[in-house]
Amino acid sequence: MAPPSSDQPDEAAGSGAISKVLVVIAMQTEALPLVTKFELVEAATEESIFPKGAPWTRFHGDYKGLHIDLVWPGKDPLLGVDSVGTVSAALVTYASIQLLKPDLIINAGTAGGFKARGASIGDVYLASDVAFHDRRIPIPVFDSYGIGARQTFATPNIVKELNLKVGKLSTGDSLDMSPHDESAILSNDATVNDMEGAAVAYVAEMFSTPAIFVKAVTDIVDGEKPTAEEFLQNLISVTMALDQAVTKVIDFIDGKCVSDL
């Protein structure tokens, strides 16, 4: 891929209405309902904007006054499963920012939730903050770098208008939760946890692109059911709740400036 362009996305407080929205999503199951809803078209392989060999997939189209690009990291070339996790999320976000220059990023996806924080299956959250919970570097200053805590782009009008729940998001590369991860998640004061959000936030901040995080709860991390079992059991139904929430967010964004969110 070509080196980063000096032509960066507009500043968050730009005066123009949002015209280009990038939706970053980890799994095909999560992506396809939105592709159908917004009548997006898959970019042909021979027309891909991404580097040769990258399995990343892009769907695109116009919806109301917006141009929407939806990207997901595709299938692992060897194993054929969704390329979930922070590495794939960071790579596809970086490439998409450089090549598509969005005005706004929406990282949408499913997540685990904590009943101790009030989360229930099917709840949809806007993340107020993000952090990592599995990057342990017990050296002064490096420890804070590993956690990577940062506030997300504030969207008080979306929260008020759509009545979405708000909570902190913690990100790691494992579906289960080790004792070390649990301790870190508690330290992060997280209500939901996923496998991509903080990585997307890191790249978005690097290139001054506002990003918001819409997460729907598939499993209760501090519940009684095994995480993997509960996740698979609820994935389809919760994806529908995610689809509805993202559609409402997109409808709200249409015609507005970033500063209006």
Side-chain angles (χ1 to χ4, degrees), residues 28-107:
Q28 186 178 38
T29 301
E30 298 166 338
L32 292 182
L34 293 172
V35 169
T36 301
K37 171 65 181 180
F38 298 124
E39 299 182 351
L40 306 180
V41 177
E42 183 175 357
T45 302
E46 61 272 17
E47 298 175 357
S48 176
I49 62 172
F50 296 131
K52 184 178 180 180
W56 311 329
T57 301
R58 178 174 72 101
F59 299 88
H60 60 96
D62 296 324
Y63 175 78
K64 297 186 176 180
L66 300 169
H67 180 79
I68 299 175
D69 286 291
L70 184 151
V71 298
W72 69 290
K75 300 285 187 178
D76 179 85
L78 179 62
L79 300 175
V81 297
D82 290 294
S83 299
V84 299
T86 58
V87 173
S88 293
L91 284 168
V92 76
T93 301
Y94 167 78
S96 298
I97 290 174
Q98 297 304 316
L99 297 167
L100 299 171
K101 297 182 171 28
D103 300 315
L104 178 72
I105 295 172
I106 300 174
N107 175 219

Side-chain angles (χ1 to χ4, degrees), residues 9-14 153 208 210 257-259:
D10 292 337
E11 293 294 326
F153 183 76
S208 302
C257 302
V258 171
S259 56

Side-chain angles (χ1 to χ4, degrees), residues 113-115 117-125 165 216-220 238:
F114 291 84
K115 65 179 181 181
R117 298 286 185 183
S120 300
I121 301 296
D123 284 349
V124 181
Y125 282 85
K165 291 189 172 184
V217 176
T218 51
D219 53 278
I220 301 302
V238 172

